Amino acid sequence: MDFLNQDVLWDFFWRVVNAVILFGLVVYFVRKYDVINKVFGGYQEKIQREIDNAKNVEEDAARIKREIDQMSEQAEVRSQEIVEKAKEQAQREKEALIEDAKSSAERILTQARQTADYEQERQSKLLQNEIVERTLEKAREEVAAKITKKENDRLVNEFLDSLNEESVKLS
Amino acid sequence: MKQKHVAQNYAAGLFHASQANNSTDAVEADLGKLASAAAETNLSVLLSNPQVDKKDKHALVDKMLKNGHPYVGNLVHILVERNRGRYLPDIYQHFMKIRDQESDSLHVTVETAFELTKTIQDKISKRLNELTGRDIRLSIVEDVTIVGGIRLKLQDNLIDGSVLAQMDGLRQQLLGSSAN
């Protein structure tokens, strides 16, 4: 038992020595070639760059958001202006249309009055002409029915007496 | 223009032939009757119509001028032959003008609604003679549409003393006053 314990102890002892030597070598080389810095420094820089990039992206996003907000405000103002201008234009066109409609209505009314006056005058004249024609036709019929040869001779004599050199002048 | 020229030629030929034959009065009377008939009816159209048989036209002329002067008959037959019956009224007018010029007389057509007595006819001739200084030859045409009075045609001059003319004057006055 003691024998066994002694071998195991020596074996353990040498194992520990090996381990210490190996550890020492590893530490030595790690320190010598700055392996940790080289391995983990790259990661750190990469992470730092990514953090920086993320910050830049965030800043860009914030800037873009600001610009979009600004553009949105400008667009709102512009659209407001356009709406106002459109309203003004529409109002002006509406007023012009109303004015046109009024003058057209007045013109049509004036023409209608003139046409009515003309038609009234024309009808009145036609009626007067008709009355004159009928009166004269009636008179002609009555004279034709009543005139005698004696009266006709008198008319002829009066006519002959009324003639003068001018009236019989030949062309 | 052509019709006027043609009518003048026919009228001149007829006048000089009748003058040489001392039959101007008779020719004038017959031509006047025929011209009046042509003006008042479709006679001139009928005589000018090429679709009407010339034999029928000649027969009609012979019938109308049975007792008429042969010169007038001959002239109308020539017109029928050449489809120029429509020239008759113009030929009559030119015949009158030529006679007026040649004899220093004046032919006057008197339109009347009533028959005129010899006294009235003489008075018309005398009055017109006083005013024109020329011998007057009257043609009397009855036209009841003038109602009363007379209408004188001296060549192209119309002197209207009819009741119809007075009524036309009255019409103008009334229509003129109604227009104002």
Side-chain angles (χ1 to χ4, degrees):
Chain A
M1 196 65 180
D2 288 339
F3 174 71
L4 282 172
N5 286 341
Q6 202 172 18
D7 287 342
V8 170
L9 284 173
W10 277 107
D11 183 58
F12 180 73
F13 170 73
W14 288 114
R15 283 180 187 265
V16 169
V17 170
N18 282 340
V20 169
I21 291 166
L22 183 64
F23 183 74
L25 285 171
V26 168
V27 169
Y28 172 77
F29 284 112
V30 164
R31 281 190 178 173
K32 187 180 179 183
Y33 294 106
D34 199 15
V35 173
I36 291 173
N37 270 342
K38 281 184 181 173
V39 172
F40 293 100
Y43 280 117
Q44 200 175 2
E45 282 176 9
K46 190 179 174 186
I47 289 165
Q48 189 60 47
R49 275 201 309 276
E50 285 179 357
I51 288 168
D52 290 344
N53 283 340
K55 278 183 182 175
N56 288 338
V57 169
E58 189 182 2
E59 282 173 8
D60 285 346
R63 183 176 51 76
I64 290 167
K65 187 177 179 301
R66 280 197 307 276
E67 285 175 2
I68 288 169
D69 288 346
Q70 200 176 358
M71 284 169 70
S72 174
E73 281 176 19
Q74 285 175 350
E76 197 174 341
V77 170
R78 180 77 185 130
S79 67
Q80 194 66 29
E81 283 175 5
I82 290 168
V83 168
E84 287 300 323
K85 277 186 182 174
K87 278 183 182 173
E88 286 173 13
Q89 179 72 17
Q91 183 64 23
R92 279 199 298 275
E93 284 176 2
K94 180 183 159 189
E95 286 169 2
L97 279 172
I98 290 170
E99 199 57 37
D100 276 355
K102 276 183 185 172
S103 45
S104 292
E106 278 177 21
R107 197 172 57 249
I108 290 165
L109 208 59
T110 307
Q111 282 176 349
R113 282 198 196 102
Q114 285 173 346
T115 306
D117 289 348
Y118 170 77
E119 189 59 25
Q120 190 179 5
E121 193 179 333
R122 196 177 72 86
Q123 290 295 339
S124 171
K125 203 166 182 176
L126 281 175
L127 188 63
Q128 285 173 344
N129 288 356
E130 183 69 19
I131 290 168
V132 168
E133 290 299 335
R134 287 192 181 193
T135 305
L136 286 174
E137 181 56 24
K138 185 78 180 165
R140 193 195 67 77
E141 285 172 4
E142 285 189 16
V143 171
K146 289 179 181 173
I147 192 167
T148 62
K149 191 169 183 312
K150 191 177 173 184
E151 283 167 336
N152 186 64
D153 288 350
R154 183 180 56 78
L155 283 173
V156 173
N157 282 319
E158 283 176 7
F159 170 64
L160 290 172
D161 292 340
S162 73
L163 292 177
N164 54 42
E165 288 180 0
E166 193 61 33
S167 56
V168 297
K169 197 172 181 181
L170 299 173
S171 55
Chain B
M1 196 66 195
K2 184 191 169 192
Q3 181 167 334
K4 185 183 173 186
H5 187 67
V6 171
Q8 273 177 344
N9 286 342
Y10 281 121
L14 184 64
F15 174 75
H16 291 118
S18 63
Q19 195 180 36
N21 193 244
N22 286 326
S23 57
T24 317
D25 286 339
V27 168
E28 181 184 308
D30 289 343
L31 191 62
K33 285 175 194 170
L34 210 56
S36 296
E40 290 167 13
T41 65
N42 288 331
L43 180 65
S44 57
V45 179
L46 181 78
L47 296 179
S48 304
N49 191 341
Q51 290 181 325
V52 179
D53 194 331
K54 283 184 181 172
K55 279 184 185 174
D56 295 336
K57 293 181 194 173
H58 288 302
L60 177 67
V61 172
D62 285 339
K63 193 174 177 183
M64 288 180 73
L65 294 170
K66 193 176 177 182
N67 299 317
H69 197 281
Y71 285 4
V72 177
N74 290 341
L75 172 74
V76 180
H77 282 302
I78 292 169
L79 295 177
V80 166
E81 214 40 55
R82 297 178 183 178
N83 290 323
R84 286 175 168 173
R86 64 184 181 281
Y87 292 175
L88 260 176
D90 282 346
I91 292 172
Y92 177 62
Q93 291 301 322
H94 287 296
F95 183 93
M96 295 302 174
K97 278 189 183 177
I98 294 166
R99 190 173 182 194
D100 288 351
Q101 287 163 3
E102 294 283 329
S103 62
D104 197 29
S105 61
L106 185 64
H107 173 261
V108 178
T109 302
V110 183
E111 291 179 1
T112 175
F114 290 85
E115 191 180 346
L116 296 177
T117 61
K118 181 78 171 67
T119 313
I120 292 286
Q121 289 186 31
D122 288 345
K123 184 168 182 180
I124 294 170
S125 296
K126 188 181 170 203
R127 182 69 180 136
L128 292 175
N129 174 259
E130 285 169 3
L131 294 169
T132 62
R134 295 162 75 169
D135 291 336
I136 303 298
R137 291 174 287 115
L138 291 185
S139 290
I140 310 295
V141 177
E142 285 196 18
D143 182 0
V144 292
T145 61
I146 68 169
V147 184
I150 54 172
R151 191 185 268 168
L152 304 176
K153 285 183 183 172
L154 295 76
Q155 294 182 357
D156 297 328
N157 194 11
L158 177 71
I159 310 165
D160 204 335
S162 67
V163 170
L164 190 66
Q166 289 176 33
M167 285 190 162
D168 280 340
L170 186 60
R171 175 185 287 107
Q172 296 304 323
Q173 277 185 358
L174 290 170
L175 294 179
S177 64
S178 70
N180 295 331

